[in-house]
Each structure stands twice: as structure tokens, then as C-alpha cells.
């Protein structure tokens, strides 16, 4: 339960930091995506609360689905409307999304232990790989936020 709660908290904090920065030049989109991200996060949290705590796979699935619904549209839209942002952060953002998708895929498909039951009980299991991939995703996202912040400070972001 702590893993899922922490993930949801990171997603919420990511939206709170990323949406206002990314849509700095687009105040209407900034408000729209902040509200839609907040609604997605609250809906996800309420759904998670209603699921019995012993059903961790369903809880994880709801968090992944809810995060994806709130996460993907602003990223795609930001890459489409922000030329400066795309130049500064597109490759890191694609790598970050890839790390997240890889983490989710490994986690929900139980890779590698599904192919060798009993061999990855203590080391190298999907949960541990998921943590590493999510850490890489968070590190990349932090770098993106720093890059976009520097771009905003330079005054070149909204030109």
C-alpha cells in the first residue's frame, strides 16, 4: 500500500510542478490542465480508497490508469504547442515516458519472474526492476523541470 500511495503522491506533485511550468506561456491551458490533472488525481485516490486493501493488483491498475489519463494528454499537447520546450526537453521527456511505460509493463506483467518462477523471489523481480525504472523516470523528470525553469528564467520560453 505504501508503494501505491507514494506513487500517487509523486504523480500529484509532478502535475503540480510540471503543468504550471510547461504551460507558462499559455495561461488558459495552464488552468485547464491543472484542473483536469487534479480531477484525475482525486478520482484515482477515491477509486483506490474504495478498493479492498488486499487487492493490490487492482489498486496498482487503477493508479496506473488514472495517472495515464491525467499524464499523457498534457505531455502530448505541450510537445505540440511549445517549440522552445520541445527543443529543450523533448528527448528527455520521451525517455522519461519510456521509463515509466517500461516500469508499468514490467510491474503488471511480472517480468522476469513469470518466465522463471522461483528464480527471482529475492533479487531481480519485477517489483525491484519497477523501482529502478521509476527512479530513472523521476530523475529524468526532475532534469526536465530544471531545464524548463532555466528556459523560463532566460526569457526565451514565450517568444
Amino acid at each position: 500500500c505504501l508503494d501505491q500511495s507514494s506513487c500517487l503522491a509523486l504523480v500529484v506533485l509532478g502535475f503540480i510542478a510540471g503543468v504550471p511550468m510547461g504551460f507558462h506561456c499559455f495561461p488558459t491551458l495552464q488552468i485547464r490542465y491543472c484542473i483536469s490533472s487534479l480531477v484525475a488525481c482525486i478520482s484515482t485516490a477515491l477509486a483506490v480508497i474504495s478498493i479492498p486493501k488486499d487487492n493490490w493488483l487492482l489498486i496498482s491498475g487503477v493508479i496506473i490508469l488514472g495517472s495515464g489519463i491525467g499524464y499523457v494528454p498534457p505531455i502530448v499537447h505541450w510537445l505540440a504547442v511549445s517549440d522552445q520546450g520541445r527543443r529543450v526537453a523533448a528527448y528527455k521527456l520521451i525517455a522519461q515516458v519510456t521509463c515509466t511505460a517500461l516500469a508499468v509493463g514490467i510491474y503488471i506483467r511480472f517480468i522476469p519472474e513469470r518466465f522463471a518462477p522461483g528464480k527471482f523471489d529475492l533479487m531481480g523481480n519485477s517489483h525491484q526492476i519497477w523501482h529502478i525504472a521509476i527512479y530513472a523516470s523521476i530523475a529524468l523528470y526532475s532534469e526536465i523541470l530544471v531545464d524548463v525553469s532555466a528556459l523560463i528564467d532566460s526569457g526565451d520560453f514565450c517568444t
Side-chain angles (χ1 to χ4, degrees):
C1 187
L2 184 59
D3 274 349
Q4 290 92 352
S5 302
S6 298
C7 269
L8 189 56
L10 278 172
V11 169
V12 171
L13 291 173
F15 287 143
I16 289 170
V19 169
M21 287 176 72
F23 290 99
H24 174 75
C25 307
F26 308 97
T28 304
L29 292 175
Q30 190 179 47
I31 291 167
R32 187 175 298 155
Y33 280 126
C34 280
I35 290 170
S36 67
S37 296
L38 184 62
V39 167
C41 290
I42 290 171
S43 300
T44 301
L46 291 173
V48 166
I49 290 169
S50 69
I51 299 169
K53 300 299 172 233
D54 60 339
N55 198 344
W56 65 269
L57 194 56
L58 182 58
I59 291 171
S60 298
V62 167
I63 291 172
I64 290 165
L65 181 65
S67 299
I69 289 169
Y71 174 75
V72 174
I75 289 173
V76 171
H77 196 184
W78 184 72
L79 288 172
V81 300
S82 180
D83 289 336
Q84 292 290 338
R86 200 171 40 247
R87 282 189 216 119
V88 168
Y91 293 115
K92 285 181 186 175
L93 192 55
I94 291 167
Q96 187 264 333
V97 171
T98 302
C99 280
T100 302
L102 181 68
V104 167
I106 287 170
Y107 185 70
I108 64 174
R109 300 301 298 162
F110 299 104
I111 297 171
E113 61 267 24
R114 77 179 308 169
F115 301 113
K119 300 278 186 201
F120 298 98
D121 289 347
L122 297 177
M123 197 168 201
N125 61 51
S126 58
H127 190 97
Q128 293 166 340
I129 296 169
W130 174 81
H131 275 287
I132 293 166
I134 288 296
Y135 176 80
S137 175
I138 293 166
L140 283 164
Y141 192 68
S142 298
E143 285 185 32
I144 293 164
L145 292 178
V146 169
D147 292 345
V148 171
S149 179
L151 187 61
I152 291 169
D153 289 344
S154 75
D156 293 334
F157 192 42
C158 297
T159 58

